[in-house]
Amino acid sequence: MTDSIRPILLVEDNPFDLDLAQRAFLKTKIPNPIQVARDGEEALSFLARWEGGETLPAFILLDLKLPKVDGLEVLRRVKSHDRYRIIPVVILTTSTEEQDIQSAYQLGANSYIVKPVDYHRFMEVADQLEAYWCRLNQLLGQ
Amino acid sequence: MKRFWELPGVADGQKIRTGRILFSILYALIISCFLGALVAFVAQETDSAFGLLLAGVFYSGLVWVTRRGWVRLSTFAVLTSLLVFLTYLLFIGQGIHDLLMVVYPVILIIASLLFGPQGFIWIVAVTIISIGVVVWGDLNGLTQATYPQLTNIEDFFFLSMILLFTGAIVWLLADDLNRNLDRALKNEKALEETNRQLEEQTRTLTASEARWRSLVENAPDLIIDVDRDGKILFLNNAYQVKLTVGDSVFDLVPDDQKQVAQAALQSVFRTGEPVRLEFQNQAGEGGSTQWFATRLGPIKQDDRVTSVMIVATNTTVQKIAQENMRQLNLELEARVASRTTALESKARELEAFAYSVSHDLKGPLRGIDGYSLLLLEDYADKLDAEGAHYLASIRKATAQMNQLIDDLLMYSRLERRAFDISPVNLQTVVGKVLDEYGREIALRQVNLLVNVPEERVQADVEGLTQAVRNLVDNALKFTRAVANPQIEIGAQRKDKVCVLWVKDNGIGFDMRYHDRIFDIFQRLHRAEEYPGTGIGLALVRKVMQNCGGRVWAESAPGNGAQFFLELPV
């Protein structure tokens, strides 16, 4: 496995949002496979999978409002881990609350994006995310 | 007896004194004359007896004259009679010639005493008259003088010398005497005046004392005067205190407070400054607590505290009222606190609700928008024009609903956010908003006129920025159909407020709807003409209310609109 095909981990509970996000990435024609976690607990199970040798994702797209374990807790666990803290985490949420934004950045989020209702704009976001976190970091990695 | 020496109806002190002496002389003369007459009658000296009887009657007459108040006349008559008698004896007396010479000064002194300093002149005149009378009597053979008539020049010379000499001395003596008398009289008058004043003062003092005593005795407070040891010198009847004068005031103080009371009393005696104390005992009804507010005030004489006046007021009723009030306040505070907690939890619920609205309502909306776009893009070839139109409408409706949710969220956030009122520069705020709309203004070639001075107003900067943003947004929106759009933004300081206005030449509105446009969800235009949620101006009004300012507008259909924001500076 090389860097270019590192997966993107999508943590999202809303089926429409999940589907639309997958389709948006599909439309940008990125090569990276997309992994999905439907709640916080499932997201945390990836820690064990990475432990077991699975490829680390290029970046994690993390919703904050999640069943079972909420997004901020997932963020805290990832960012407090010795090795996995380097994985970029982009918060993608509906919350515009100042408190959420601050908590996210304090816990080490790399970016905070408010989900746009306009799908056009969401596609732009997906494009930019892929461009920045996959291609740019890949360049830097080389 | 006293009335024999009195002059009825005479007030002059000098005259009364003269009268007393005169009465004494007259009574003596009367008694002497009548007794002499009696003796002469027994000795068969009929002439002498008759003469003495006449003299007695004469002097009795003078008593009457004197009692009429004619003291001087009476004195004059007495003196003349005495001198005539003396001169007569001088001329005819046998063997007592030289002795008689000495009697003159005696009479002179008596005269001076009676008449005062003028007595000398009087007596000289009287002497001359008396000599004249005796000589006249002698010449007419009424007397048988031993010496030849008027031949004894030597006698006259001596007599004159004695008269002059004695007269001078008497004059001086009498003058001095009278002056002393005057002074004494004056002193007496002054003394009388002083006495009168003293009496008056005593009367005033007595009245005053009575007043104070009544005041103290009827006072509702307990008033006790005590000495250095706390011994009671005086006390009134308030509160049915069982103590009397001579008891110790500390018997009134419960044991545990005695030490404080003693220290306070000593302090007043030592410093001369009043002290306030509060005591409580269990002597109320059924052994309940009573409170007494006590004041210890010094009574001073020559800067030394001689006793201390204690005034004790039963303040139990006030105390109980105060305590009740305190309890009520505590209850009220507790109630307010619990209500506040309830309200705060309500506010948190609302916040959570608003958050949930934002999260949950927008979810499906994203789905609608996303899938309709995918349909439009991926199945364009399978859709006819009408189908494409439907989809476009769905997406437009989605956008509108999204806007509505956003505006609602902003409005509700404004409601629950704590406003931070601080000085805000209007120029900065307007500049920031215009920067946001710079692209649209340039694209639409809006004629923009900005004249906002660097005025500072008291406002919440975020709220005010949003308000100005909404007004500029409205101005741009409602000038969309106008050929040469113009927007003017200005501000002016007016006394203690500053007014900012945004004026456009857009479609305007009917002033009938002036108040309605600031209500939430109130719109004057159809959505397809001018999109909007009906929240913008409501938000402006909310901001102005929270900043202590106001908003109003002036407009007419087709003539543009002008919105004013007034804020305290």
Side-chain angles (χ1 to χ4, degrees):
Chain A
M1 282 201 193
T2 63
D3 269 359
S4 57
I5 48 169
R6 275 171 182 255
I8 294 169
L9 176 56
L10 211 59
V11 188
E12 176 64 71
D13 65 318
N14 185 319
F16 295 139
D17 282 350
L18 179 64
D19 184 42
L20 286 168
Q22 281 173 317
R23 285 176 194 283
F25 281 120
L26 220 68
K27 280 193 176 262
T28 57
K29 302 200 172 41
I30 55 160
N32 309 51
I34 294 180
Q35 294 177 326
V36 173
R38 296 300 307 277
D39 57 46
E41 207 175 69
E42 207 181 324
L44 288 177
S45 72
F46 273 84
L47 288 172
R49 285 166 64 175
W50 297 331
E51 213 55 65
E54 252 185 62
T55 319
L56 297 185
F59 65 90
I60 304 172
L61 261 180
L62 180 63
D63 193 2
L64 287 183
K65 298 283 159 195
L66 292 171
K68 296 179 187 173
V69 179
D70 88 349
L72 284 174
E73 175 60 18
V74 174
L75 176 66
R76 197 185 61 76
R77 291 281 291 278
V78 172
K79 285 298 176 183
S80 61
H81 195 280
D82 279 348
R83 275 180 292 141
Y84 311 139
R85 65 148 62 102
I86 51 152
I87 305 170
V89 178
V90 176
I91 306 293
L92 185 67
T93 181
T94 50
S95 171
T96 52
E97 295 293 306
E98 189 64 28
Q99 207 192 331
D100 282 342
I101 298 170
Q102 278 197 357
S103 304
Y105 278 118
Q106 263 163 19
L107 288 173
N110 298 71
S111 189
Y112 191 105
I113 295 167
V114 177
K115 283 181 191 171
V117 166
D118 188 338
Y119 192 55
H120 256 308
R121 289 206 42 224
F122 186 76
M123 286 197 283
E124 279 169 31
V125 168
D127 199 34
Q128 282 161 5
L129 281 173
E130 191 269 332
Y132 184 78
W133 295 111
C134 296
R135 272 180 275 165
L136 184 72
N137 283 2
Q138 192 182 341
L139 280 172
L140 290 174
Q142 286 166 354
Chain B
M1 276 300 283
K2 208 175 169 191
R3 64 187 206 89
F4 288 106
W5 272 268
E6 271 176 2
L7 286 173
V10 173
D12 186 348
Q14 173 86 31
K15 212 171 182 179
I16 291 168
R17 265 188 300 281
T18 312
R20 279 195 189 142
I21 297 167
L22 195 59
F23 278 130
S24 306
I25 294 168
L26 283 172
Y27 294 146
L29 285 171
I30 291 164
I31 292 164
S32 306
C33 286
F34 285 130
L35 279 174
L38 192 66
V39 172
F41 187 71
V42 171
Q44 295 188 336
E45 293 268 354
T46 324
D47 284 356
S48 293
F50 185 66
L52 283 167
L53 208 59
L54 262 175
V57 172
F58 172 67
Y59 290 128
S60 299
L62 282 184
V63 169
W64 178 81
V65 170
T66 310
R67 287 188 71 83
R68 287 291 306 270
W70 298 326
V71 178
R72 280 178 180 237
L73 177 68
S74 179
T75 310
F76 184 69
V78 171
L79 287 174
T80 310
S81 69
L82 283 175
L83 282 166
V84 168
F85 187 59
L86 191 62
T87 314
Y88 167 74
L89 284 180
L90 188 66
F91 281 95
I92 63 163
Q94 289 140 356
I96 54 164
H97 178 269
D98 290 336
L99 190 65
L100 286 168
M101 283 285 205
V102 186
V103 181
Y104 274 96
V106 176
I107 294 176
L108 277 173
I109 289 166
I110 292 170
S112 300
L113 280 174
L114 292 172
F115 281 120
Q118 298 96 328
F120 176 69
I121 298 160
W122 280 96
I123 214 67
V124 170
V126 168
T127 307
I128 291 164
I129 291 163
S130 67
I131 291 169
V133 170
V134 172
V135 168
W136 177 80
D138 199 35
L139 284 174
N140 289 290
L142 287 174
T143 57
Q144 286 86 40
T146 316
Y147 296 93
Q149 291 99 329
L150 304 173
T151 50
N152 203 333
I153 301 298
E154 200 183 333
D155 280 355
F156 275 106
F157 175 73
F158 277 120
L159 193 58
S160 307
M161 290 310 286
I162 287 167
L163 279 173
L164 276 170
F165 190 69
T166 318
I169 289 172
V170 167
W171 180 287
L172 286 171
L173 278 175
D175 191 45
D176 189 43
L177 192 72
N178 272 298
R179 220 177 291 155
N180 281 336
L181 260 173
D182 277 354
R183 208 175 300 150
L185 269 171
K186 254 182 228 151
N187 281 344
E188 198 180 5
K189 269 196 187 130
L191 215 64
E192 267 170 24
E193 177 64 21
T194 310
N195 265 333
R196 204 185 51 73
Q197 282 175 357
L198 268 173
E199 266 167 36
E200 188 126 323
Q201 274 174 14
T202 311
R203 254 201 311 281
T204 316
L205 267 175
T206 311
S208 164
E209 214 266 347
R211 211 175 299 136
W212 287 113
R213 179 167 288 276
S214 165
L215 180 70
V216 168
E217 276 170 1
N218 292 308
D221 297 342
L222 178 61
I223 300 175
I224 311 176
D225 194 21
V226 297
D227 70 4
R228 192 174 285 275
D229 302 320
K231 204 172 78 184
I232 296 174
L233 306 172
F234 167 87
L235 84 165
N236 69 352
N237 293 323
Y239 303 147
Q240 285 88 43
V241 169
K242 299 277 185 290
L243 301 181
T244 55
V245 170
D247 292 342
S248 170
V249 76
F250 298 119
D251 291 349
L252 283 173
V253 183
D255 287 345
D256 58 329
Q257 293 155 73
K258 271 195 170 70
Q259 214 174 348
V260 178
Q262 276 161 347
L265 183 67
Q266 291 318 311
S267 151
V268 179
F269 270 104
R270 200 173 55 248
T271 62
E273 296 292 324
V275 169
R276 280 169 186 272
L277 277 180
E278 189 167 75
F279 294 108
Q280 60 193 81
N281 61 22
Q282 312 300 324
E285 252 178 71
S288 62
T289 307
Q290 281 188 319
W291 282 270
F292 289 90
T294 311
R295 285 138 290 173
L296 283 74
I299 293 180
K300 295 181 188 175
Q301 263 171 33
D302 305 327
D303 272 353
R304 219 174 56 82
V305 180
T306 53
S307 68
V308 166
M309 195 65 92
I310 301 169
V311 181
T313 312
N314 188 334
T315 54
T316 309
V317 175
Q318 290 102 299
K319 275 278 170 190
I320 290 169
Q322 263 173 22
E323 182 56 26
N324 286 347
M325 184 97 92
R326 206 180 61 83
Q327 282 296 339
L328 272 176
N329 270 335
L330 280 179
E331 275 170 37
L332 203 67
E333 269 168 34
R335 214 176 302 161
V336 168
S338 89
R339 293 260 163 93
T340 309
T341 314
L343 271 175
E344 277 169 355
S345 96
K346 265 267 151 35
R348 267 197 302 278
E349 270 173 42
L350 267 173
E351 240 170 273
F353 173 73
Y355 191 90
S356 164
V357 164
S358 110
H359 189 263
D360 298 345
L361 280 186
K362 282 193 170 187
L365 219 51
R366 277 194 304 277
I368 297 167
D369 192 72
Y371 288 113
S372 57
L373 184 70
L374 285 173
L375 205 58
L376 210 55
E377 284 184 348
D378 297 353
Y379 296 84
D381 52 340
K382 294 187 178 138
L383 284 171
D384 58 7
E386 205 167 320
H389 172 69
Y390 292 164
L391 277 174
S393 296
I394 290 172
R395 301 203 64 237
K396 218 184 269 177
T398 313
Q400 210 173 315
M401 182 151 174
N402 183 41
Q403 185 64 46
L404 193 60
I405 293 170
D406 279 346
D407 283 0
L408 263 177
L409 277 174
M410 195 192 297
Y411 188 81
S412 84
R413 194 177 302 155
L414 202 71
E415 285 256 73
R416 60 203 159 93
R417 197 168 64 87
F419 260 60
D420 172 29
I421 308 283
S422 54
V424 175
N425 187 343
L426 275 184
Q427 207 178 50
T428 315
V429 170
V430 171
K432 183 173 179 246
V433 172
L434 289 177
D435 277 350
E436 294 169 12
Y437 288 94
R439 228 167 76 92
E440 187 179 347
I441 290 166
L443 266 172
R444 285 184 43 210
Q445 295 182 314
V446 175
N447 187 2
L448 182 70
L449 211 85
V450 182
N451 185 18
V452 178
E454 265 204 47
E455 279 292 348
R456 283 192 183 279
V457 294
Q458 295 296 324
D460 173 79
V461 66
E462 199 181 315
L464 181 62
T465 308
Q466 188 59 45
V468 174
R469 188 181 290 131
N470 288 4
L471 291 186
V472 171
D473 196 67
N474 273 358
L476 284 168
K477 185 160 71 183
F478 293 113
T479 50
R480 221 158 269 168
V482 180
N484 53 336
Q486 273 184 12
I487 296 175
E488 184 195 321
I489 304 175
Q492 199 178 10
R493 170 95 181 256
K494 280 179 184 165
D495 199 20
K496 282 183 175 155
V497 294
C498 191
V499 178
L500 174 88
W501 63 85
V502 178
K503 188 180 179 184
D504 63 55
N505 63 343
I507 56 166
F509 64 90
D510 193 324
M511 282 298 274
R512 269 187 300 174
Y513 305 121
H514 178 273
D515 292 339
R516 275 180 59 188
I517 59 170
F518 295 105
D519 290 339
I520 195 159
F521 297 131
Q522 289 296 330
R523 293 167 41 76
L524 297 183
H525 309 283
R526 275 167 298 180
E528 62 265 34
E529 288 175 340
Y530 296 99
T533 55
I535 294 174
L537 285 177
L539 189 136
V540 172
R541 188 172 67 177
K542 181 109 260 158
V543 169
M544 297 314 285
Q545 276 171 355
N546 289 355
C547 293
R550 60 194 184 103
V551 58
W552 72 97
E554 283 170 15
S555 182
N559 279 335
Q562 189 170 10
F563 283 84
F564 299 88
L565 300 181
E566 186 188 88
L567 283 160
V569 294

